[in-house]
Amino acid sequence: MAYIGAEVMISPLGETTEENWLALCENRSGISLVPDAGFDKEGLYLSKIPGLTGPARFRGLLTRALKQISEKIDPAILPSARTIVLISSTKGELDGNIADQFGEPAAALITEFHLAHQPIIVSNACISGVLAINAAANFINAKIYDHVIVIGCDLISDFVVYGFQSLFAISDQPCMPFDAARKGISMGEGCAAVVVSSDREIYKDQPLRLFSGASANDANHISGPSRTGEGLVRSTKKTMNNNGITASEIDFICAHGTATLYNDEMESIAFDRLNLTHIPLNSLKGYFGHTLGAAGVIETSVCMQMIRQGMLLKSLGFREKGTSKELNIVSANKPAQINTILKTASGFGGGNAALIIRKI
Amino acid sequence: MSFITTYCHLTKDYCSVNGTIAGRRDPESADSWFKQIYKEKEFVYPKFYKMDILSQAGFLASELIKRANPELVTRYKDDEVAMLFGNDNSSAETDVRFRKSYQENGAPSPSLFVYTLPNIVMGEIAIINKWYGENMFAVLPKFVSGFFVDYAQILLATGSKAVLCGWLGIKDKSTEVFLFLIEKQAAVGIPSNADNLSALAGNTSFTTD
């Protein structure tokens, strides 16, 4: 059995989990207009961490997150031979060394935190974070490691901004997931970390239960969502079936919701096929933007806070139904008893992944 | 128990299947080495020409494995073949080309950008074979037999029946591609463990442990 806890978040909304949660409760967004950010020097709406500039930004965020993690668990865990670190990211320290985007930051973590094992980078586009947390649970359940620290981190760079601009995927307003007027994504940057363990005693605060989920490829297109939501349907179904969890037990769905026309439509079709459209759902992209490889860890961390604090968060940016299948989108913050959350992700390469967390 | 049943190496100068040379690079040819393999082996998949170098490598090696082990495409349900790939530099070769498109060639190229993620190669192979299984791409400083053996075992214990694994070491001056198939049940094959896998990986410059 795997536990998950000690969640840490660093984003434009705050340096700590507490600051982030406060901002989320006030429905504040990290997205703002950044002058000259686009390829033609146009202003773009981005969710950028204030003051995060200069070299080694990626390494700096990983280090800050791991420092915060070390204060939330038994100090013997980090350097233990039974512990491994997984880093979920798409582009790492790209601006520092495009030829080797992860080598230096991973080596720096080993030195600074006396890690016993080489960190593994999980790089699967936008599902990296959910996939890495599932990999952590798999390592625990197979008893290969007893503790896995998962850090999700990605930065805004000209590289990713110009790339998404070239695909016409960036919205000219702050992103509006699932809304009728949605026009695309807002890029974001951030870092989050969680600790997955077989031992609930290592956490200073009560952990939650992690049910390891499944991933599934759409086998359809490398950069476009499936029209039928096949991979999302399969990964969600397997995640529920493998853990013996039925729809009636799921209190909330934290969807991927990038705010592109096709992604959000695909998700609505998949949740309709799964008979889950009645369950309250949100996308957190309106708060953080799309943080790519970090998104799954940031959003799972928010889910953990939602369970702990007993609060459903409004799906920021949503006003009017904008998908062919109607979803139960949370339109205002609402106190609620939340026991079980389904978190999903979908991304380039046809990947889809899901996981489930539950209050103990 | 699981078994390594089929494997394929692509290096700068040759390709081999199950340890037997299957082709050698013609240094006189005007075609890239991967295009030479594509033509010589008479593959018919025009999208190959649009792929980046990681996806081309994954395409060629996975197709060669299928030819050597045709049951891979008939024996399993569409979600029973997982993919577990890795390398030490993510999609760096294509990342450099994409950066050049906007720094030197006028505009960011969308057709390059979509390949600037290392997991895309698994998406391409999934599309060709209609495989809806698990996928994971890991970046590690070097090939580690134990990682592939352990994680393949996890995938085989959680619903997959075969895992197509791959190390895609592709750099400016070197090509160290090694794909191998681990199957839960097999009539022919060697037991999947780190020592056996290191031995099969061995004739390249990989460091193994």
Side-chain angles (χ1 to χ4, degrees), chain A residues 39 91 98-99 101 118 121-125 131 135 138 159 162-163 166 214-220 230 234 238 348-349, chain B residues 78-79 91-92 95 98-99 102 106 108 110 113 116 118-120 123 126-127 130 132-135 137-139 141 151 154:
Chain A
F39 181 68
K91 296 268 66 89
I98 197 167
Q101 299 159 22
Q118 174 70 39
I121 317 301
V122 176
S123 192
N124 272 67
L131 196 65
N138 287 335
F159 186 102
Y162 299 169
S166 78
S215 79
N217 199 289
D218 285 323
N220 174 69
E230 187 64 25
R234 288 183 186 231
K238 281 187 186 173
F348 279 8
Chain B
D78 63 5
D79 62 351
S91 51
D95 293 354
F98 172 70
R99 185 173 66 177
Y102 65 80
F113 182 64
T116 61
N119 63 303
I120 298 295
I127 291 167
K130 283 282 153 201
Y132 297 88
E134 292 268 352
N135 292 174
F137 196 101
V139 182
Y151 210 80
I154 285 173

Tab-separated table of all heavy atoms in Angstrom, chain A residues 39 91 98-99 101 118 121-125 131 135 138 159 162-163 166 214-220 230 234 238 348-349, chain B residues 78-79 91-92 95 98-99 102 106 108 110 113 116 118-120 123 126-127 130 132-135 137-139 141 151 154:
chain	number	residue	atom	x	y	z
A	39	PHE	N	7.065	35.601	-30.162
A	39	PHE	CA	8.106	35.575	-31.191
A	39	PHE	C	8.187	36.908	-31.931
A	39	PHE	O	9.268	37.335	-32.323
A	39	PHE	CB	7.837	34.433	-32.174
A	39	PHE	CG	8.876	34.329	-33.237
A	39	PHE	CD1	10.176	33.943	-32.918
A	39	PHE	CD2	8.586	34.653	-34.560
A	39	PHE	CE1	11.166	33.866	-33.897
A	39	PHE	CE2	9.562	34.567	-35.545
A	39	PHE	CZ	10.851	34.174	-35.213
A	91	LYS	N	11.437	19.881	-20.281
A	91	LYS	CA	12.551	20.620	-20.871
A	91	LYS	C	13.635	20.996	-19.886
A	91	LYS	O	14.619	21.620	-20.280
A	91	LYS	CB	12.031	21.879	-21.597
A	91	LYS	CG	11.125	21.569	-22.773
A	91	LYS	CD	11.793	21.451	-24.145
A	91	LYS	CE	12.741	20.353	-24.426
A	91	LYS	NZ	12.205	19.102	-24.950
A	98	ILE	N	21.262	22.933	-23.676
A	98	ILE	CA	20.242	22.259	-24.495
A	98	ILE	C	20.666	20.820	-24.817
A	98	ILE	O	19.815	19.945	-25.009
A	98	ILE	CB	19.963	23.082	-25.779
A	98	ILE	CG1	18.646	22.646	-26.442
A	98	ILE	CG2	21.122	22.999	-26.764
A	98	ILE	CD1	18.136	23.599	-27.516
A	99	ALA	N	21.973	20.548	-24.839
A	99	ALA	CA	22.447	19.207	-25.190
A	99	ALA	C	22.275	18.223	-24.030
A	99	ALA	O	22.204	17.019	-24.244
A	99	ALA	CB	23.910	19.259	-25.616
A	101	GLN	N	19.896	18.492	-20.715
A	101	GLN	CA	18.996	19.361	-19.965
A	101	GLN	C	18.794	18.921	-18.504
A	101	GLN	O	18.233	19.662	-17.702
A	101	GLN	CB	17.640	19.417	-20.706
A	101	GLN	CG	17.792	19.978	-22.116
A	101	GLN	CD	16.665	19.601	-23.063
A	101	GLN	OE1	15.570	19.265	-22.630
A	101	GLN	NE2	16.925	19.666	-24.360
A	118	GLN	N	20.839	7.730	-8.214
A	118	GLN	CA	20.680	8.668	-9.317
A	118	GLN	C	19.180	8.963	-9.525
A	118	GLN	O	18.392	8.039	-9.693
A	118	GLN	CB	21.250	8.008	-10.585
A	118	GLN	CG	21.040	8.786	-11.850
A	118	GLN	CD	21.882	10.047	-11.900
A	118	GLN	OE1	23.026	10.062	-11.476
A	118	GLN	NE2	21.297	11.116	-12.413
A	121	ILE	N	14.611	10.831	-14.503
A	121	ILE	CA	13.754	11.855	-15.097
A	121	ILE	C	12.633	11.152	-15.868
A	121	ILE	O	12.914	10.319	-16.739
A	121	ILE	CB	14.531	12.745	-16.093
A	121	ILE	CG1	15.918	13.135	-15.567
A	121	ILE	CG2	13.692	13.954	-16.504
A	121	ILE	CD1	15.981	13.874	-14.295
A	122	VAL	N	11.397	11.453	-15.552
A	122	VAL	CA	10.267	10.931	-16.313
A	122	VAL	C	9.834	12.040	-17.266
A	122	VAL	O	9.427	13.117	-16.829
A	122	VAL	CB	9.103	10.523	-15.386
A	122	VAL	CG1	7.886	10.082	-16.199
A	122	VAL	CG2	9.551	9.411	-14.451
A	123	SER	N	9.988	11.786	-18.570
A	123	SER	CA	9.711	12.845	-19.545
A	123	SER	C	8.727	12.341	-20.594
A	123	SER	O	9.110	11.770	-21.605
A	123	SER	CB	11.017	13.310	-20.198
A	123	SER	OG	10.780	14.502	-20.923
A	124	ASN	N	7.457	12.527	-20.297
A	124	ASN	CA	6.368	12.065	-21.156
A	124	ASN	C	5.396	13.197	-21.454
A	124	ASN	O	4.189	13.064	-21.248
A	124	ASN	CB	5.583	10.948	-20.469
A	124	ASN	CG	6.172	9.599	-20.736
A	124	ASN	OD1	7.277	9.317	-20.284
A	124	ASN	ND2	5.460	8.784	-21.488
A	125	ALA	N	5.926	14.334	-21.869
A	125	ALA	CA	5.087	15.475	-22.211
A	125	ALA	C	4.186	15.833	-21.031
A	125	ALA	O	4.620	15.770	-19.878
A	125	ALA	CB	4.302	15.192	-23.493
A	131	LEU	N	2.206	10.374	-14.437
A	131	LEU	CA	2.931	9.127	-14.710
A	131	LEU	C	4.020	8.891	-13.665
A	131	LEU	O	4.217	7.756	-13.207
A	131	LEU	CB	3.554	9.225	-16.100
A	131	LEU	CG	4.027	7.932	-16.734
A	131	LEU	CD1	2.861	7.001	-17.010
A	131	LEU	CD2	4.757	8.221	-18.036
A	135	ALA	N	4.483	5.852	-11.221
A	135	ALA	CA	5.719	5.066	-11.188
A	135	ALA	C	6.204	4.932	-9.749
A	135	ALA	O	6.673	3.868	-9.331
A	135	ALA	CB	6.789	5.717	-12.067
A	138	ASN	N	4.226	2.353	-8.108
A	138	ASN	CA	4.638	1.036	-8.612
A	138	ASN	C	5.926	0.564	-7.948
A	138	ASN	O	6.059	-0.609	-7.596
A	138	ASN	CB	4.837	1.089	-10.130
A	138	ASN	CG	3.526	1.172	-10.885
A	138	ASN	OD1	2.486	0.753	-10.381
A	138	ASN	ND2	3.568	1.714	-12.085
A	159	PHE	N	11.807	28.921	-26.086
A	159	PHE	CA	11.667	27.651	-26.797
A	159	PHE	C	10.220	27.140	-26.739
A	159	PHE	O	9.591	26.889	-27.770
A	159	PHE	CB	12.625	26.638	-26.157
A	159	PHE	CG	12.725	25.313	-26.855
A	159	PHE	CD1	13.800	25.019	-27.673
A	159	PHE	CD2	11.756	24.329	-26.657
A	159	PHE	CE1	13.920	23.773	-28.299
A	159	PHE	CE2	11.861	23.097	-27.283
A	159	PHE	CZ	12.944	22.817	-28.104
A	162	TYR	N	7.564	29.947	-28.144
A	162	TYR	CA	7.538	30.056	-29.610
A	162	TYR	C	6.990	28.766	-30.222
A	162	TYR	O	6.297	28.796	-31.246
A	162	TYR	CB	8.940	30.334	-30.171
A	162	TYR	CG	9.581	31.626	-29.691
A	162	TYR	CD1	10.926	31.889	-29.936
A	162	TYR	CD2	8.845	32.599	-29.001
A	162	TYR	CE1	11.530	33.067	-29.512
A	162	TYR	CE2	9.445	33.778	-28.565
A	162	TYR	CZ	10.791	33.991	-28.808
A	162	TYR	OH	11.393	35.141	-28.382
A	163	GLY	N	7.301	27.647	-29.618
A	163	GLY	CA	6.812	26.365	-30.134
A	163	GLY	C	5.293	26.295	-30.100
A	163	GLY	O	4.650	25.975	-31.106
A	166	SER	N	3.813	28.528	-32.598
A	166	SER	CA	3.867	28.012	-33.968
A	166	SER	C	2.728	27.028	-34.226
A	166	SER	O	2.340	26.804	-35.368
A	166	SER	CB	5.226	27.372	-34.264
A	166	SER	OG	5.317	26.067	-33.696
A	214	ALA	N	-3.102	3.933	-14.131
A	214	ALA	CA	-2.616	3.363	-15.384
A	214	ALA	C	-2.427	4.464	-16.417
A	214	ALA	O	-3.023	5.540	-16.306
A	214	ALA	CB	-3.610	2.332	-15.905
A	215	SER	N	-1.613	4.184	-17.422
A	215	SER	CA	-1.534	5.080	-18.571
A	215	SER	C	-1.985	4.318	-19.803
A	215	SER	O	-2.003	3.088	-19.805
A	215	SER	CB	-0.112	5.619	-18.762
A	215	SER	OG	0.729	4.673	-19.385
A	216	ALA	N	-2.385	5.054	-20.824
A	216	ALA	CA	-2.787	4.420	-22.085
A	216	ALA	C	-2.510	5.378	-23.227
A	216	ALA	O	-2.763	6.582	-23.108
A	216	ALA	CB	-4.269	4.050	-22.065
A	217	ASN	N	-1.979	4.841	-24.315
A	217	ASN	CA	-1.751	5.676	-25.484
A	217	ASN	C	-3.013	5.697	-26.349
A	217	ASN	O	-3.735	4.708	-26.433
A	217	ASN	CB	-0.553	5.149	-26.293
A	217	ASN	CG	-0.003	6.208	-27.233
A	217	ASN	OD1	-0.636	6.563	-28.224
A	217	ASN	ND2	1.172	6.724	-26.918
A	218	ASP	N	-3.266	6.856	-26.998
A	218	ASP	CA	-4.406	6.971	-27.915
A	218	ASP	C	-4.182	6.209	-29.224
A	218	ASP	O	-5.138	5.933	-29.942
A	218	ASP	CB	-4.626	8.439	-28.312
A	218	ASP	CG	-5.254	9.253	-27.208
A	218	ASP	OD1	-6.118	8.714	-26.491
A	218	ASP	OD2	-4.890	10.435	-27.070
A	219	ALA	N	-2.916	5.948	-29.568
A	219	ALA	CA	-2.573	5.301	-30.848
A	219	ALA	C	-3.248	6.016	-32.005
A	219	ALA	O	-3.773	5.404	-32.933
A	219	ALA	CB	-2.945	3.811	-30.827
A	220	ASN	N	-3.233	7.346	-31.954
A	220	ASN	CA	-4.028	8.122	-32.891
A	220	ASN	C	-3.241	9.239	-33.573
A	220	ASN	O	-3.260	9.369	-34.788
A	220	ASN	CB	-5.230	8.697	-32.144
A	220	ASN	CG	-6.052	9.646	-32.970
A	220	ASN	OD1	-6.712	9.217	-33.913
A	220	ASN	ND2	-5.993	10.934	-32.663
A	230	GLU	N	-10.163	7.839	-26.510
A	230	GLU	CA	-9.919	6.413	-26.236
A	230	GLU	C	-8.892	6.169	-25.128
A	230	GLU	O	-9.141	5.392	-24.202
A	230	GLU	CB	-9.468	5.719	-27.536
A	230	GLU	CG	-9.335	4.214	-27.427
A	230	GLU	CD	-10.659	3.506	-27.148
A	230	GLU	OE1	-11.731	4.043	-27.483
A	230	GLU	OE2	-10.609	2.403	-26.562
A	234	ARG	N	-9.537	4.511	-21.483
A	234	ARG	CA	-8.865	3.277	-21.061
A	234	ARG	C	-8.057	3.475	-19.790
A	234	ARG	O	-8.089	2.631	-18.890
A	234	ARG	CB	-7.952	2.769	-22.179
A	234	ARG	CG	-8.709	2.188	-23.368
A	234	ARG	CD	-7.703	1.641	-24.372
A	234	ARG	NE	-8.350	1.197	-25.595
A	234	ARG	CZ	-8.150	-0.002	-26.145
A	234	ARG	NH1	-7.341	-0.864	-25.578
A	234	ARG	NH2	-8.754	-0.329	-27.275
A	238	LYS	N	-9.020	1.574	-16.312
A	238	LYS	CA	-8.059	0.654	-15.680
A	238	LYS	C	-7.708	1.110	-14.265
A	238	LYS	O	-7.568	0.281	-13.363
A	238	LYS	CB	-6.779	0.574	-16.509
A	238	LYS	CG	-6.912	-0.319	-17.718
A	238	LYS	CD	-5.555	-0.487	-18.394
A	238	LYS	CE	-5.728	-1.266	-19.679
A	238	LYS	NZ	-4.499	-1.334	-20.455
A	348	PHE	N	0.837	15.336	-25.560
A	348	PHE	CA	1.501	15.034	-26.831
A	348	PHE	C	2.110	13.635	-26.777
A	348	PHE	O	2.521	13.174	-25.712
A	348	PHE	CB	2.607	16.053	-27.112
A	348	PHE	CG	2.117	17.350	-27.705
A	348	PHE	CD1	0.767	17.633	-27.800
A	348	PHE	CD2	3.018	18.292	-28.165
A	348	PHE	CE1	0.322	18.835	-28.357
A	348	PHE	CE2	2.590	19.494	-28.716
A	348	PHE	CZ	1.247	19.761	-28.814
A	349	GLY	N	2.159	13.016	-27.946
A	349	GLY	CA	2.628	11.643	-28.003
A	349	GLY	C	1.489	10.674	-27.780
A	349	GLY	O	1.684	9.467	-27.770
B	78	ASP	N	-4.666	-5.337	-27.848
B	78	ASP	CA	-4.128	-4.022	-28.230
B	78	ASP	C	-3.599	-3.199	-27.056
B	78	ASP	O	-2.928	-2.200	-27.262
B	78	ASP	CB	-5.165	-3.229	-29.044
B	78	ASP	CG	-6.429	-2.922	-28.263
B	78	ASP	OD1	-6.489	-3.226	-27.056
B	78	ASP	OD2	-7.368	-2.374	-28.867
B	79	ASP	N	-3.886	-3.627	-25.824
B	79	ASP	CA	-3.329	-2.861	-24.694
B	79	ASP	C	-2.342	-3.686	-23.878
B	79	ASP	O	-2.002	-3.327	-22.759
B	79	ASP	CB	-4.452	-2.332	-23.795
B	79	ASP	CG	-5.257	-3.463	-23.170
B	79	ASP	OD1	-5.071	-4.642	-23.558
B	79	ASP	OD2	-6.074	-3.170	-22.284
B	91	SER	N	15.345	14.749	-26.119
B	91	SER	CA	15.210	14.972	-27.563
B	91	SER	C	16.198	16.041	-28.023
B	91	SER	O	15.885	16.836	-28.923
B	91	SER	CB	13.774	15.384	-27.887
B	91	SER	OG	13.374	16.464	-27.054
B	92	ALA	N	17.389	16.077	-27.438
B	92	ALA	CA	18.319	17.198	-27.648
B	92	ALA	C	18.623	17.488	-29.113
B	92	ALA	O	18.704	18.652	-29.511
B	92	ALA	CB	19.618	16.946	-26.877
B	95	ASP	N	15.743	19.292	-30.441
B	95	ASP	CA	15.626	20.572	-29.735
B	95	ASP	C	16.564	21.612	-30.357
B	95	ASP	O	16.177	22.763	-30.570
B	95	ASP	CB	15.983	20.408	-28.248
B	95	ASP	CG	14.980	19.549	-27.488
B	95	ASP	OD1	13.946	19.177	-28.090
B	95	ASP	OD2	15.230	19.253	-26.301
B	98	PHE	N	15.127	22.704	-33.650
B	98	PHE	CA	13.983	23.609	-33.496
B	98	PHE	C	14.450	25.004	-33.078
B	98	PHE	O	13.985	26.018	-33.604
B	98	PHE	CB	12.973	23.059	-32.481
B	98	PHE	CG	11.886	24.055	-32.153
B	98	PHE	CD1	10.930	24.387	-33.102
B	98	PHE	CD2	11.853	24.701	-30.916
B	98	PHE	CE1	9.945	25.337	-32.826
B	98	PHE	CE2	10.878	25.650	-30.641
B	98	PHE	CZ	9.925	25.962	-31.596
B	99	ARG	N	15.405	25.060	-32.155
B	99	ARG	CA	15.892	26.374	-31.707
B	99	ARG	C	16.497	27.149	-32.880
B	99	ARG	O	16.296	28.350	-33.018
B	99	ARG	CB	16.930	26.198	-30.593
B	99	ARG	CG	17.387	27.535	-29.992
B	99	ARG	CD	18.268	27.362	-28.787
B	99	ARG	NE	19.546	26.741	-29.143
B	99	ARG	CZ	20.533	26.537	-28.275
B	99	ARG	NH1	20.393	26.890	-27.003
B	99	ARG	NH2	21.654	25.974	-28.659
B	102	TYR	N	14.002	29.163	-35.114
B	102	TYR	CA	13.577	30.533	-34.772
B	102	TYR	C	14.745	31.482	-34.538
B	102	TYR	O	14.596	32.684	-34.672
B	102	TYR	CB	12.588	30.548	-33.609
B	102	TYR	CG	13.086	30.080	-32.252
B	102	TYR	CD1	13.827	30.922	-31.426
B	102	TYR	CD2	12.798	28.809	-31.785
B	102	TYR	CE1	14.264	30.505	-30.164
B	102	TYR	CE2	13.235	28.377	-30.540
B	102	TYR	CZ	13.962	29.226	-29.740
B	102	TYR	OH	14.391	28.808	-28.504
B	106	GLY	N	14.335	32.241	-39.295
B	106	GLY	CA	13.189	33.111	-39.530
B	106	GLY	C	11.959	32.871	-38.695
B	106	GLY	O	11.302	33.819	-38.278
B	108	PRO	N	9.756	29.868	-35.844
B	108	PRO	CA	9.710	28.542	-35.196
B	108	PRO	C	8.958	27.545	-36.082
B	108	PRO	O	7.881	27.850	-36.586
B	108	PRO	CB	8.954	28.803	-33.889
B	108	PRO	CG	8.251	30.100	-34.065
B	108	PRO	CD	9.037	30.891	-35.069
B	110	PRO	N	6.719	24.470	-36.645
B	110	PRO	CA	5.814	23.577	-35.909
B	110	PRO	C	6.102	22.102	-36.160
B	110	PRO	O	5.937	21.277	-35.260
B	110	PRO	CB	4.421	23.964	-36.430
B	110	PRO	CG	4.645	24.729	-37.678
B	110	PRO	CD	6.011	25.328	-37.600
B	113	PHE	N	8.829	21.337	-33.844
B	113	PHE	CA	8.457	21.476	-32.430
B	113	PHE	C	7.745	20.234	-31.891
B	113	PHE	O	7.985	19.808	-30.766
B	113	PHE	CB	7.584	22.714	-32.216
B	113	PHE	CG	7.216	22.943	-30.773
B	113	PHE	CD1	8.190	23.221	-29.821
B	113	PHE	CD2	5.892	22.848	-30.349
B	113	PHE	CE1	7.856	23.410	-28.483
B	113	PHE	CE2	5.555	23.043	-29.014
B	113	PHE	CZ	6.537	23.319	-28.084
B	116	THR	N	9.948	17.734	-30.292
B	116	THR	CA	10.880	18.130	-29.235
B	116	THR	C	10.482	17.549	-27.876
B	116	THR	O	10.611	18.206	-26.841
B	116	THR	CB	11.011	19.663	-29.129
B	116	THR	OG1	9.725	20.212	-28.812
B	116	THR	CG2	11.538	20.273	-30.407
B	118	PRO	N	10.814	13.584	-25.902
B	118	PRO	CA	11.396	12.254	-26.171
B	118	PRO	C	10.363	11.138	-26.258
B	118	PRO	O	10.643	10.084	-26.821
B	118	PRO	CB	12.334	12.046	-24.975
B	118	PRO	CG	11.763	12.878	-23.884
B	118	PRO	CD	11.155	14.076	-24.559
B	119	ASN	N	9.152	11.359	-25.706
B	119	ASN	CA	8.151	10.291	-25.724
B	119	ASN	C	7.423	10.180	-27.061
B	119	ASN	O	6.641	9.243	-27.258
B	119	ASN	CB	7.117	10.513	-24.610
B	119	ASN	CG	6.337	11.802	-24.793
B	119	ASN	OD1	6.932	12.882	-24.872
B	119	ASN	ND2	5.029	11.714	-24.888
B	120	ILE	N	7.646	11.131	-27.979
B	120	ILE	CA	6.910	11.100	-29.251
B	120	ILE	C	7.178	9.801	-30.013
B	120	ILE	O	6.280	9.255	-30.656
B	120	ILE	CB	7.282	12.330	-30.123
B	120	ILE	CG1	6.878	13.631	-29.418
B	120	ILE	CG2	6.647	12.232	-31.510
B	120	ILE	CD1	5.402	13.825	-29.207
B	123	GLY	N	4.716	7.352	-29.209
B	123	GLY	CA	3.444	7.677	-29.859
B	123	GLY	C	3.431	7.189	-31.301
B	123	GLY	O	2.449	6.610	-31.766
B	126	ALA	N	3.103	3.459	-31.292
B	126	ALA	CA	1.731	3.108	-30.887
B	126	ALA	C	0.759	3.279	-32.056
B	126	ALA	O	-0.119	2.439	-32.277
B	126	ALA	CB	1.298	3.976	-29.700
B	127	ILE	N	0.941	4.361	-32.818
B	127	ILE	CA	0.035	4.621	-33.950
B	127	ILE	C	0.174	3.517	-35.003
B	127	ILE	O	-0.820	2.964	-35.488
B	127	ILE	CB	0.340	6.005	-34.573
B	127	ILE	CG1	-0.063	7.129	-33.606
B	127	ILE	CG2	-0.374	6.166	-35.915
B	127	ILE	CD1	0.464	8.508	-33.983
B	130	LYS	N	-1.252	0.300	-33.473
B	130	LYS	CA	-2.521	0.411	-32.724
B	130	LYS	C	-2.354	-0.197	-31.339
B	130	LYS	O	-3.140	-1.033	-30.889
B	130	LYS	CB	-3.674	-0.253	-33.491
B	130	LYS	CG	-4.181	0.597	-34.642
B	130	LYS	CD	-5.083	1.718	-34.126
B	130	LYS	CE	-5.084	2.919	-35.054
B	130	LYS	NZ	-5.510	4.163	-34.421
B	132	TYR	N	-2.471	0.433	-27.443
B	132	TYR	CA	-3.044	1.346	-26.451
B	132	TYR	C	-2.458	1.124	-25.054
B	132	TYR	O	-3.073	1.486	-24.063
B	132	TYR	CB	-4.562	1.175	-26.388
B	132	TYR	CG	-5.285	1.522	-27.668
B	132	TYR	CD1	-5.482	0.574	-28.666
B	132	TYR	CD2	-5.779	2.812	-27.882
B	132	TYR	CE1	-6.147	0.888	-29.840
B	132	TYR	CE2	-6.440	3.137	-29.049
B	132	TYR	CZ	-6.619	2.168	-30.023
B	132	TYR	OH	-7.276	2.482	-31.185
B	133	GLY	N	-1.272	0.513	-24.992
B	133	GLY	CA	-0.712	0.133	-23.691
B	133	GLY	C	-0.024	1.276	-22.957
B	133	GLY	O	-0.067	2.433	-23.354
B	134	GLU	N	0.637	0.875	-21.855
B	134	GLU	CA	1.404	1.810	-21.016
B	134	GLU	C	2.640	2.319	-21.765
B	134	GLU	O	3.263	1.564	-22.508
B	134	GLU	CB	1.897	1.077	-19.766
B	134	GLU	CG	0.830	0.651	-18.794
B	134	GLU	CD	0.576	1.707	-17.729
B	134	GLU	OE1	1.329	2.694	-17.654
B	134	GLU	OE2	-0.401	1.530	-16.970
B	135	ASN	N	3.019	3.557	-21.524
B	135	ASN	CA	4.248	4.144	-22.084
B	135	ASN	C	4.996	4.890	-20.991
B	135	ASN	O	4.369	5.614	-20.215
B	135	ASN	CB	3.945	5.221	-23.146
B	135	ASN	CG	3.324	4.699	-24.432
B	135	ASN	OD1	2.957	5.494	-25.283
B	135	ASN	ND2	3.189	3.395	-24.594
B	137	PHE	N	8.884	7.193	-20.711
B	137	PHE	CA	10.217	7.555	-21.190
B	137	PHE	C	11.018	8.097	-20.018
B	137	PHE	O	10.586	9.021	-19.333
B	137	PHE	CB	10.167	8.613	-22.298
B	137	PHE	CG	11.471	8.709	-23.057
B	137	PHE	CD1	11.609	8.113	-24.298
B	137	PHE	CD2	12.568	9.365	-22.507
B	137	PHE	CE1	12.819	8.159	-24.982
B	137	PHE	CE2	13.782	9.414	-23.185
B	137	PHE	CZ	13.909	8.816	-24.428
B	138	ALA	N	12.204	7.518	-19.791
B	138	ALA	CA	13.059	7.933	-18.674
B	138	ALA	C	14.376	8.479	-19.206
B	138	ALA	O	14.946	7.919	-20.142
B	138	ALA	CB	13.328	6.746	-17.757
B	139	VAL	N	14.842	9.563	-18.605
B	139	VAL	CA	16.157	10.096	-18.956
B	139	VAL	C	17.121	9.749	-17.826
B	139	VAL	O	16.874	10.087	-16.661
B	139	VAL	CB	16.120	11.618	-19.182
B	139	VAL	CG1	17.503	12.138	-19.589
B	139	VAL	CG2	15.083	11.984	-20.242
B	141	PRO	N	21.564	9.128	-16.898
B	141	PRO	CA	22.895	9.492	-17.423
B	141	PRO	C	23.548	8.386	-18.234
B	141	PRO	O	24.449	8.633	-19.011
B	141	PRO	CB	23.710	9.787	-16.168
B	141	PRO	CG	22.783	9.774	-15.022
B	141	PRO	CD	21.516	9.125	-15.436
B	151	TYR	N	11.612	-2.156	-14.062
B	151	TYR	CA	10.356	-1.490	-14.418
B	151	TYR	C	9.549	-2.318	-15.416
B	151	TYR	O	8.314	-2.327	-15.362
B	151	TYR	CB	10.577	-0.050	-14.916
B	151	TYR	CG	9.364	0.785	-14.559
B	151	TYR	CD1	9.198	1.286	-13.272
B	151	TYR	CD2	8.328	0.972	-15.470
B	151	TYR	CE1	8.052	1.969	-12.909
B	151	TYR	CE2	7.180	1.657	-15.105
B	151	TYR	CZ	7.048	2.151	-13.831
B	151	TYR	OH	5.902	2.811	-13.458
B	154	ILE	N	7.604	-4.629	-13.364
B	154	ILE	CA	6.436	-3.951	-12.788
B	154	ILE	C	5.309	-3.888	-13.816
B	154	ILE	O	4.146	-4.195	-13.518
B	154	ILE	CB	6.825	-2.525	-12.322
B	154	ILE	CG1	7.632	-2.600	-11.021
B	154	ILE	CG2	5.582	-1.642	-12.155
B	154	ILE	CD1	8.211	-1.267	-10.563
